[in-house]
């Protein structure tokens, strides 16, 4: 790349830059060759995301390598934009707008389709997370409809930059737990910060006609956007955590790390024996995270029990909480939300306390959720589903039991 002291052309125009012109020519030629095959890019990105999602458990280095490739594409996009502006200010030739927009579209498609497997697998579809994932699917469809994408990019710049900021959010949210073993909460906070930073061009274009009050409006809208994003974090799926299985039981075999017994959940039965909530949470190898069993009665929080999990166990990290003290009138709908420390829902368990047959039956059976419940794990080579013989021995990757909102040692 020529320096800023490159001699100007004889006619007083932009500085001569034969090397830069040759580089631009090669890039333009490459883009023209790729255009007819651009329809292949979204399925390739989706396959890479799917591979990274599964490989992060058994071949973490390969999953991290795929995530690094996506992150490198974003570095290329951001550096190209910055370098292009610096060259233009100094009078050097830059890539045509159509070429840079095509490259940006490819990277947006890569981001959205790479992230889809992570969010499809970790979304709790009976919650507001479904809206976030459906929005992601809509953005992915938008990115492959060329007339719509280019129209928005050319005529609605503020909307285009908002779309760009959302893609940056996904990049950080999905890749950092894989590459740096950051917790879900840490990744979410960094993703929100990155999104706010890259929302600035959108806000500047949105307030372009408000000359005198432009920065005042931006400084007002930015905290408002930050507040809305933080409040809405519960709707964001934890892209690298999901509930593999769950069970309710009146007893628990600590040595085997397994729920035991059977109980009809009537008020008297709960008062006598209490209730165990068991969950197996899937997480990438090396990830250590604090999660919570939040017990709710008729929507009201009754107990919040802290548990620490570690990733890497194929059947999921087994965690359980034991609730002994129930309200005087425990009848009604109960729900146990499995939450991250940042307020994202990993999964939930529902049951009903009532008299007679209307009461739920806590029989200790592990109900499969997530990928296990959908049977998708059987599509991964070397995984045979839920055969007990394939599970690691007791004591591998387990957490102490929580009693009445407190954690006790085993």
């Amino acid at each position: 790349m020529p320096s800023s002291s490159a001699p100007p052309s004889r006619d007083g125009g932009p500085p001569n830059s034969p090397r830069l012109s040759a580089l631009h020519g090669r890039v333009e030629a490459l883009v023209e060759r790729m255009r007819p095959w651009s329809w292949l890019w979204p399925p390739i990105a989706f396959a890479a995301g799917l591979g990274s999602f599964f490989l992060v458990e058994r071949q973490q280095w390969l999953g991290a390598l795929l995530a690094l490739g996506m992150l490198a594409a974003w570095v290329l996009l951001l550096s190209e934009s910055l370098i292009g502006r610096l060259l233009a200010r100094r009078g050097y030739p830059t890539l045509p707008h159509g070429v840079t927009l095509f490259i940006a579209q490819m990277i947006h498609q890569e981001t959205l389709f790479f992230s889809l497997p992570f969010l499809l697998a970790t979304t709790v579809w009976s919650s507001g997370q479904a809206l976030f994932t459906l929005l992601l699917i809509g953005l992915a469809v938008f990115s492959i409809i060329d007339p719509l994408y280019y129209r928005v990019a050319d005529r609605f710049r503020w909307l285009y930059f908002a779309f760009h900021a959302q893609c940056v959010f996904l990049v950080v949210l999905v890749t950092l737990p894989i590459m740096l073993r950051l917790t879900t909460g840490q990744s979410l906070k960094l993703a929100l910060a990155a999104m706010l930073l890259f929302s600035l061009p959108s806000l500047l274009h949105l307030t372009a006609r408000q000359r005198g009050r432009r920065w005042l409006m931006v400084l007002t809208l930015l905290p408002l956007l930050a507040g809305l994003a933080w409040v809405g974090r519960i709707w964001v799926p934890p892209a690298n955590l999901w509930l593999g299985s769950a069970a309710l039981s009146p007893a628990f075999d600590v040595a085997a790390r397994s729920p035991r017994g059977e109980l009809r959940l009537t008020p008297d039965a709960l008062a006598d024996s209490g209730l165990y909530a068991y969950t197996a949470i899937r997480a990438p190898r090396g990830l250590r995270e604090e999660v919570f069993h939040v017990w709710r009665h008729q929507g009201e929080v009754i107990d919040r029990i802290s548990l620490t999990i570690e990733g890497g166990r194929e059947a999921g990290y087994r965690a359980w909480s034991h609730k002994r003290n129930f309200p005087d009138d425990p009848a009604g709908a109960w729900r146990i939300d499995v939450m991250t420390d940042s307020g994202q829902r990993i999964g939930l368990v529902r049951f009903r306390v009532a008299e007679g047959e209307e009461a739920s039956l806590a029989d200790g059976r592990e109900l499969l959720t997530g990928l296990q419940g959908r049977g998708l794990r059987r599509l991964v080579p070397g995984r045979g589903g839920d055969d007990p013989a394939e599970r690691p021995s007791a004591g591998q990757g387990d957490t102490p039991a929580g009693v009445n909102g407190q954690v006790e040692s085993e």
Side-chain angles (χ1 to χ4, degrees):
M1 184 179 299
S3 66
S4 59
S5 60
S9 60
R10 294 179 181 179
D11 58 1
N16 292 322
S17 180
R19 291 184 180 179
L20 189 59
S21 298
L23 177 61
H24 286 177
R26 287 194 291 270
V27 172
E28 291 180 48
L30 178 61
V31 167
E32 290 304 317
R33 292 194 190 99
M34 291 175 62
R35 283 187 189 275
W37 304 99
S38 61
W39 61 273
L40 286 173
W41 190 239
I44 290 174
F46 183 83
L50 196 64
S52 181
F53 182 82
F54 284 117
L55 292 172
V56 74
E57 296 179 17
R58 306 188 74 177
Q59 300 291 336
Q60 185 170 356
W61 66 270
L62 187 54
L65 186 63
L66 291 171
L68 181 62
M70 186 180 71
L71 201 59
W74 270 94
V75 172
L76 174 66
L77 175 62
L78 298 176
S79 61
E80 188 281 329
S81 177
L82 179 60
I83 293 172
R85 290 187 180 187
L86 291 175
L87 290 175
R89 289 180 180 178
R90 296 176 182 273
Y92 288 99
T94 58
L95 288 171
H97 176 66
V99 172
T100 58
L101 197 55
F102 176 80
I103 295 172
Q105 183 188 21
M106 296 283 282
I107 294 177
H108 288 151
Q109 290 176 353
E110 178 192 28
T111 299
L112 292 163
F113 284 92
F114 183 94
S115 303
L116 263 178
F118 289 85
L119 299 185
L120 289 173
T122 58
T123 295
V124 180
W125 291 97
S126 59
S127 72
Q129 290 179 0
L131 297 177
F132 180 90
T133 303
L134 289 175
L135 172 64
L136 172 65
I137 295 173
L139 294 179
V141 172
F142 163 76
S143 73
I144 62 177
I145 302 177
D146 290 351
L148 182 59
Y149 179 90
Y150 286 100
R151 181 182 178 85
V152 170
D154 290 331
R155 296 193 178 185
F156 303 97
R157 297 296 289 173
W158 72 270
L159 189 58
Y160 177 75
F161 282 115
F163 168 76
H164 184 79
Q166 184 62 40
C167 290
V168 172
F169 173 80
L170 289 172
V171 168
V172 178
L173 184 73
V174 170
T175 59
L176 291 191
I178 300 174
M179 297 176 54
L180 304 180
R181 298 182 180 178
L182 297 184
T183 67
T184 305
Q186 291 170 336
S187 299
L188 176 66
K189 291 172 185 176
L190 289 173
L192 289 174
M195 183 186 70
L196 291 174
L197 176 63
F198 285 92
S199 294
L200 280 173
S202 175
L203 296 178
L204 290 173
H205 279 80
L206 186 62
T207 58
R209 296 182 180 179
Q210 306 293 330
R211 295 182 180 179
R213 299 176 297 173
R214 187 180 187 185
W215 280 104
L216 178 61
M217 292 183 66
V218 169
L219 294 177
T220 302
L221 289 173
L222 198 61
L224 179 61
L225 180 61
L228 291 174
W230 183 251
V231 171
R233 71 190 185 281
I234 192 173
W235 287 9
V236 179
N240 289 273
L241 297 175
W242 75 95
L243 192 61
S245 63
L248 297 172
S249 65
F252 199 87
D253 186 339
V254 176
R257 271 63 171 174
S258 178
R260 292 286 185 267
E262 181 177 304
L263 181 70
R264 183 68 62 179
L265 298 181
T266 64
D268 291 340
L270 283 179
D272 292 339
S273 62
L275 185 65
Y276 282 91
Y278 164 89
T279 55
I281 302 171
R282 303 288 296 280
R285 187 179 303 278
L287 184 65
R288 181 180 176 86
E289 181 138 359
E290 184 181 22
V291 301
F292 297 86
H293 282 184
V294 182
W295 293 69
R296 296 177 182 267
H297 178 224
Q298 301 290 110
E300 181 183 352
V301 175
I302 303 300
D303 270 322
R304 181 181 173 89
I305 301 174
S306 173
L307 305 162
T308 301
I309 65 169
E310 293 184 3
R313 187 174 185 270
E314 184 173 337
Y317 194 96
R318 295 171 291 185
W320 63 91
S321 58
H322 183 200
K323 182 167 179 56
R324 292 175 177 167
N325 296 327
F326 285 83
D328 294 336
D329 182 14
W334 284 78
R335 188 179 81 217
I336 303 170
D337 290 322
V338 186
M339 309 289 290
T340 68
D341 63 349
S342 57
Q344 294 168 273
R345 182 179 286 110
I346 304 172
L348 56 88
V349 181
R350 299 179 188 272
F351 63 95
R352 175 170 288 277
V353 178
E355 297 291 350
E357 295 298 321
E358 294 183 2
S360 299
L361 179 65
D363 57 6
R365 288 189 301 172
E366 291 188 43
L367 301 178
L368 302 181
T369 61
L371 293 182
Q372 289 180 324
R374 300 182 185 99
L376 297 182
R377 291 179 66 248
R378 294 176 175 82
L379 301 179
V380 185
R383 297 190 178 190
D386 304 297
D387 184 354
E390 296 182 358
R391 298 177 183 172
S393 61
Q396 179 177 350
D398 293 305
T399 180
V403 180
N404 297 330
Q406 302 296 323
V407 177
E408 68 175 10
S409 59
E410 297 176 1

